[in-house]
Amino acid sequence: MKQPEPEYTYPTYHRPIPATWWLRDRKYFLFMMRELSSFFIAVFLLIYLYGLSLLSKGQAAYGQFQETLRSGGFTLFFVVAFIFAVYHSWTWWSIMGKVQVVRLGDHKVPERVITAVALAGWVVASAVVLFVFTR
Amino acid sequence: MSAKKITMRVTRYRPEQEDAPTEQAYELEFPDDWVVLDALNYIKDDVDGTLTFRWSCRMGICGSCGMMVNGEPKLTCAAFLRDYYPAEIRVEPLQYFPIIRDLVIDMTDFLHKLKAITPWIVRDEEKPLAEGEYLQTPAQLADYKQFSMCINCMLCYSACPVYGHEPEFIGPAAIALAHRYNLDSRDEGQEARQQVIASSEGIWDCTLVGECTEVCPKRVDPAMAIQRTKVATTTEWAKSMLMPWGKQ
Ligand code: SF4
Ligand code: FES
């Protein structure tokens, strides 16, 4: 049988959360940096898509765009975006062991092994992409 | 061995006499084996009987002594003064929860959330008592045991900025507990729980800060429970899209 729930009323104090909450602790700061990394990755993708759309406008238009990308400002942006992308990917792959349960028959593959395989896969895939595009 | 002296700065909030919390400093001598809770009890017994806080077991079992110790959610019965000495210790009520009085927070919201995920074994049809227990192998027990160790101390909520900013979030412990029952071979209540867990206030609110797991005194690893529930929910969804006939 369902019991009625008593409702008590009493005053409570709600503490405001300061806007700088993420600066108080290194762990929360790193979390916010991971969140911020999405911004740089999104801007990079927009630039990339814009470049692709220029391909249909002919070689000259695309060539000029590539020239613009070589400017100091863009280079700096790409370096920062790259660092953020690596950091974000690292955090992503390094929790793989926690996220994915892998069973081999009755045996559960240890978390650390799954994470190590995921990280190794990431490095190998990146190396292959790098090799193909810089050949 | 001579006792050491330490200063504790403790949050006071007496709604009948002040509009907002204040801080009160107590200086005390402590033997080497004292934890923050011992110091609070000493203050209450010998210095200032009006100081209010929750505790019960003094051994990390009841989950009622959680407070912020120097900004970190801790069980105060497991936080040794000697680990902070000679620095001052700031003791505050668990962050993100409303304060009722001094170090006592209002846990009503948490209790509602716990109840919302149906934290018990649900059967489509109960078998008659005469047929005996629902048996389980040690391996089946091992599947969920870690997630059943939660003592409802709420430290994980206090470590979760998502809960702080979006109080509707069901939160780490409740989701971990839902995961515990979903993994239990005797349970058949997954679908009902899913309504709550996969709702907009459930797993998808979690941005994987990961601090819930760091502060958990029982190694429940709620962050893992949430991420695994995300994977299971997505897999179920994909299956139902690709093979709609597979599900009745
Ligand atoms: S999951 Fe851990 S931190 Fe959260 S309430 Fe349970 S025991 Fe406490
Ligand atoms: S007093 Fe029970 S857990 Fe600390």
Side-chain angles (χ1 to χ4, degrees):
Chain A
M1 200 180 70
K2 228 180 163 161
Q3 301 285 329
E5 283 192 32
E7 286 292 340
Y8 303 104
T9 50
Y10 39 81
T12 52
Y13 183 85
H14 293 251
R15 288 162 283 180
I17 304 172
T20 51
W21 64 269
W22 55 282
L23 290 173
R24 283 187 309 190
D25 196 309
R26 186 171 166 269
K27 294 169 281 192
Y28 294 120
F29 174 77
L30 288 177
F31 159 70
M32 282 304 259
M33 288 303 107
R34 199 188 70 205
E35 296 294 279
L36 183 67
S37 66
S38 312
F39 169 78
F40 284 89
I41 293 164
V43 173
F44 171 79
L45 280 176
L46 287 177
I47 296 173
Y48 190 71
L49 287 176
Y50 177 67
L52 282 183
S53 76
L54 282 184
L55 280 177
S56 65
K57 300 233 162 76
Q59 206 175 1
Y62 187 69
Q64 202 185 355
F65 174 64
Q66 275 192 317
E67 214 33 61
T68 319
L69 292 187
R70 290 205 179 94
S71 72
F74 271 110
T75 309
L76 180 68
F77 169 79
F78 286 130
V79 170
V80 174
F82 177 71
I83 293 170
F84 270 121
V86 170
Y87 178 58
H88 195 125
S89 312
W90 169 264
T91 58
W92 170 264
W93 292 113
S94 48
I95 58 158
M96 221 11 105
K98 284 196 177 299
V99 173
Q100 194 58 52
V101 185
V102 180
R103 283 176 204 273
L104 295 176
D106 278 349
H107 179 70
K108 245 191 192 173
V109 180
E111 282 176 29
R112 267 193 285 169
V113 175
I114 300 171
T115 300
V117 170
L119 284 171
W122 171 51
V123 171
V124 169
S126 304
V128 169
V129 170
L130 195 70
F131 176 73
V132 169
F133 280 93
T134 56
R135 206 157 38 132
Chain B
M1 198 188 72
S2 69
K4 297 168 186 154
K5 238 184 195 172
I6 199 162
T7 304
M8 301 231 312
R9 300 194 171 274
V10 182
T11 301
R12 301 302 311 262
Y13 175 56
R14 291 142 293 197
E16 69 285 353
Q17 73 184 59
E18 54 210 355
D19 292 334
T22 52
E23 195 179 79
Q24 192 161 344
Y26 300 95
E27 208 182 343
L28 47 105
E29 288 189 349
F30 69 97
D32 215 37
D33 59 353
W34 267 21
V35 289
V36 172
L37 183 61
D38 291 322
L40 291 174
N41 272 322
Y42 163 76
I43 295 170
K44 189 166 178 79
D45 292 345
D46 291 350
V47 183
D48 182 351
T50 66
L51 183 64
T52 309
F53 50 93
R54 283 197 186 103
W55 65 284
S56 178
C57 70
R58 287 179 56 201
M59 50 193 279
I61 298 293
C62 71
S64 53
C65 70
M67 294 167 212
M68 305 301 289
V69 179
N70 283 358
E72 266 190 68
K74 292 267 181 209
L75 289 183
T76 49
C77 67
F80 284 91
L81 295 175
R82 60 171 186 249
D83 293 340
Y84 298 90
Y85 178 83
E88 291 184 349
I89 301 185
R90 214 169 62 254
V91 186
E92 299 162 292
L94 280 182
Q95 151 175 270
Y96 303 140
F97 289 96
I99 310 176
I100 296 179
R101 185 178 198 88
D102 294 344
L103 297 163
V104 175
I105 52 103
D106 186 5
M107 62 169 85
T108 314
D109 177 56
F110 173 65
L111 293 178
H112 283 311
K113 283 171 176 162
L114 269 191
K115 198 171 161 191
I117 58 98
T118 328
W120 54 84
I121 288 173
V122 176
R123 301 286 303 179
D124 292 339
E125 246 174 83
E126 295 281 351
K127 66 179 183 183
L129 216 51
E131 283 178 32
E133 311 89 336
Y134 296 101
L135 296 178
Q136 198 164 54
T137 66
Q140 286 170 327
L141 169 68
D143 278 345
Y144 69 82
K145 186 159 181 220
Q146 168 183 9
F147 304 108
S148 71
M149 303 309 280
C150 174
I151 56 171
N152 297 339
C153 65
M154 295 171 283
L155 299 194
C156 50
Y157 284 72
S158 244
C160 175
V162 176
Y163 179 64
H165 290 85
E166 291 173 46
E168 307 78 36
F169 178 38
I170 294 161
I175 298 179
L177 200 57
H179 192 56
R180 172 250 175 277
Y181 283 98
N182 287 343
L183 289 178
D184 193 315
S185 58
R186 301 162 296 179
D187 180 80
E188 294 169 336
Q190 188 157 358
E191 219 160 285
R193 259 173 235 124
Q194 205 60 6
Q195 309 276 330
V196 183
I197 293 307
S199 73
S200 55
E201 283 107 38
I203 45 176
W204 303 112
D205 254 358
C206 168
T207 50
L208 189 49
V209 182
E211 272 309 290
C212 52
T213 291
E214 296 300 318
V215 300
C216 176
K218 293 286 152 185
R219 298 177 198 272
V220 171
D221 205 343
M224 171 159 85
I226 298 175
Q227 306 326 307
R228 286 193 180 168
T229 310
K230 282 182 186 171
V231 173
T233 306
T234 312
T235 316
E236 277 305 309
W237 174 82
K239 264 199 225 155
S240 70
M241 295 306 277
L242 294 172
M243 305 182 289
W245 59 88
K247 209 167 168 240
Q248 289 307 307

